[in-house]
Amino acid sequence: MTFRTIISYVLWPLTMWYAVGVAVRDFFYAIGLKRQAAPHITTIGVGNLCTGGSGKTPHVEYLLRLLSDRYSTAVLSRGYKRKSKGFFADDGSHNPELLGDEPAMMAAKFPNVQVAVCEKRVEGVHRLMAQERIEMQGEEEVHISMSPQLVILDDVFQHRAIKPSINILLTEYGHPFFKDHILPYGNLREFKSARLRANIVIVTKCPVPLNPVEKHNIVHDMHLLNYQKVFFSYLKYGALLDLDGRPAGVDMRHADNILCVTGIAHPEPMVAELRRSTKVKHLVFGDHHDFSARDVARIRDTFASLPGSNNIIVTTEKDAVRLRGKTTGLPVYVLPVEVAFHKSAERDFDFLVESSVRENISFLSKLSIWS
């Protein structure tokens, strides 16, 4: 009997009750006892079925690069592990304590985008739509709406209270939902049938190149409907940055050793990328880890123990938000990452999203005129 089999027997009662809870919730939505809100604004939901690690943030950033220069755009997230409560919009400070690490990172990278956090996404969208600034015209106060045209909802697939205009489901190439199981035995937060709520499915963190036969098999195993579009993306790493996001001018290939410090769900692709350059020692922390003084001391001690004299520390953009100001005197750099799509799929994905957003915004503008 394997360890996995033993665990399955131990966790089966909890898994059963969790599954019952999910089924009851879905039934209430199906018969209308729980209602979904479709706010009078264009929204794009980005999420997954599992507990994390599918690459949501790089895909949200891809959408921001694609759309935020054309439309007034906001990002709304839960703000995981933040120390604030309720609705909070970034005021320009990009504070991870108030926003959470990922929203703070996006606020710093996209100054033209409104970044806000709220546990209740419906309330968060309504608060974004009600945002305004006050200007003085003579002696009169004039209220000018700051409502965005588009809101990108980060990690919202399980948040059934809101119905996005476009629903994008991510599933990781190395951990696809169709090979997983519901919590706590597996990592799925919902039944696999929830995939049918998505308009677009993206298989993330794919290898390059990706075998066409393997692509076909993955699409087959997902059992999607005809209208659901499938894309395959991979991670594309850039040159090292300093902790403030500026080019560092450091070549990893010239380092004797790299100490890789991560607090993300699945750091394997990043570690593999670093190992293409030199020897790597990996220091692992939990996802969304808030680095304490003890943690930083551990990083310093581990770095000091590395052989060689030309060593560097490399971390993720998300972890850099929480490490900034705590690692004085250490050569800490950031490995930026972006999403790219295989072959001509990028053009197809861009066209599909752009046309859907344009049509939805146009429809809502006409609807507001008629009403």
Side-chain angles (χ1 to χ4, degrees):
M1 184 177 291
T2 65
F3 178 74
R4 181 71 176 182
T5 304
I6 295 172
I7 289 295
S8 69
Y9 283 125
V10 172
L11 296 180
W12 171 246
L14 292 176
T15 301
M16 181 182 66
W17 284 112
Y18 180 85
V20 168
V22 173
V24 169
R25 185 201 65 165
D26 289 345
F27 177 71
F28 284 169
Y29 275 110
I31 65 174
L33 284 180
K34 281 182 171 288
R35 295 182 178 273
Q36 277 190 307
H40 194 79
I41 191 172
T42 301
T43 53
I44 301 177
V46 180
N48 54 12
L49 293 180
C50 67
T51 53
S54 297
K56 292 184 295 293
T57 300
H59 285 81
V60 169
E61 291 184 358
Y62 184 96
L63 293 170
L64 292 176
R65 285 190 290 271
L66 177 67
L67 300 166
S68 64
D69 287 340
R70 303 184 199 184
Y71 305 103
S72 172
T73 304
V75 173
L76 179 65
S77 177
R78 175 189 172 190
Y80 187 66
K81 285 196 174 181
R82 63 188 171 111
K83 295 183 179 179
S84 60
K85 297 292 184 182
F87 179 84
F88 185 85
D90 179 52
D91 58 2
S93 62
H94 321 319
N95 190 337
E97 301 291 319
L98 300 176
L99 292 169
D101 47 19
E102 290 170 339
M105 179 185 72
M106 286 187 280
K109 292 176 72 173
F110 298 91
N112 62 323
V113 172
Q114 297 181 62
V115 176
V117 292
C118 191
E119 297 88 346
K120 298 179 179 180
R121 304 307 202 283
V122 175
E123 176 190 346
V125 170
H126 287 156
R127 292 284 295 271
L128 283 169
M129 293 172 67
Q131 295 230 100
E132 60 182 19
R133 71 175 188 270
I134 300 175
E135 292 185 0
M136 296 299 298
Q137 292 187 2
E139 297 182 355
E140 293 187 4
E141 290 185 350
V142 177
H143 294 253
I144 300 175
S145 173
M146 293 178 61
S147 174
Q149 296 172 287
L150 169 68
V151 179
I152 298 177
L153 303 166
D154 182 23
D155 194 14
V156 78
F157 204 80
Q158 281 75 42
H159 200 82
R160 298 289 305 276
I162 192 166
K163 185 175 182 179
S165 312
I166 305 167
N167 217 356
I168 299 177
L169 173 65
L170 309 181
T171 187
E172 190 178 356
Y173 169 85
H175 305 86
F177 68 79
F178 54 81
K179 291 185 178 179
D180 209 340
H181 305 276
I182 203 161
L183 286 166
Y185 172 55
N187 294 307
L188 297 184
R189 295 183 281 185
E190 288 194 82
F191 296 112
K192 298 171 188 178
S193 59
R195 71 192 185 281
L196 302 179
R197 297 203 305 268
N199 307 102
I200 298 171
V201 179
I202 303 176
V203 183
T204 69
K205 301 184 182 179
C206 294
V208 180
L210 180 60
N211 189 305
V213 175
E214 192 171 7
K215 288 177 63 176
H216 172 81
N217 291 339
I218 291 172
V219 173
H220 175 269
D221 290 341
M222 286 194 288
H223 298 291
L224 299 175
L225 301 176
N226 291 335
Y227 70 86
Q228 293 179 290
K229 305 299 182 183
V230 183
F231 297 90
F232 294 81
S233 70
Y234 61 93
L235 298 179
K236 182 172 63 174
Y237 294 95
L240 292 180
L241 307 173
D242 65 20
L243 285 178
D244 292 319
R246 298 180 296 245
V250 174
D251 191 334
M252 294 185 294
R253 294 172 296 181
H254 297 159
D256 294 330
N257 295 275
I258 293 176
L259 176 61
C260 177
V261 177
T262 62
I264 58 178
H266 295 298
E268 298 87 0
M270 176 181 175
V271 175
E273 175 69 17
L274 295 178
R275 283 184 172 144
R276 293 190 181 98
S277 298
T278 188
K279 291 178 287 186
V280 176
K281 182 175 180 60
H282 188 195
L283 204 53
V284 183
F285 294 90
D287 196 16
H288 299 278
H289 187 72
D290 189 5
F291 294 93
S292 65
R294 186 175 180 178
D295 296 326
V296 175
R298 181 184 170 196
I299 293 171
R300 290 182 184 275
D301 292 343
T302 306
F303 181 71
S305 69
L306 294 177
S309 58
N310 185 27
N311 302 320
I312 60 174
I313 300 172
V314 177
T315 191
T316 69
E317 292 178 282
K318 183 172 78 171
D319 294 314
V321 171
R322 294 193 182 273
L323 283 170
R324 192 173 294 124
K326 300 178 180 180
T327 56
T328 305
L330 290 175
V332 182
Y333 302 100
V334 179
L335 184 65
V337 63
E338 293 183 2
V339 161
F341 288 89
H342 282 270
K343 295 186 176 180
S344 62
E346 180 169 321
R347 183 176 65 249
D348 297 336
F349 177 82
D350 291 358
F351 176 80
L352 175 61
V353 172
E354 288 174 333
S355 59
S356 298
V357 168
R358 182 173 61 251
E359 290 169 7
N360 201 269
I361 289 177
S362 175
F363 172 76
L364 289 175
S365 65
K366 292 176 182 177
L367 195 64
S368 63
I369 294 173
W370 294 336
S371 60

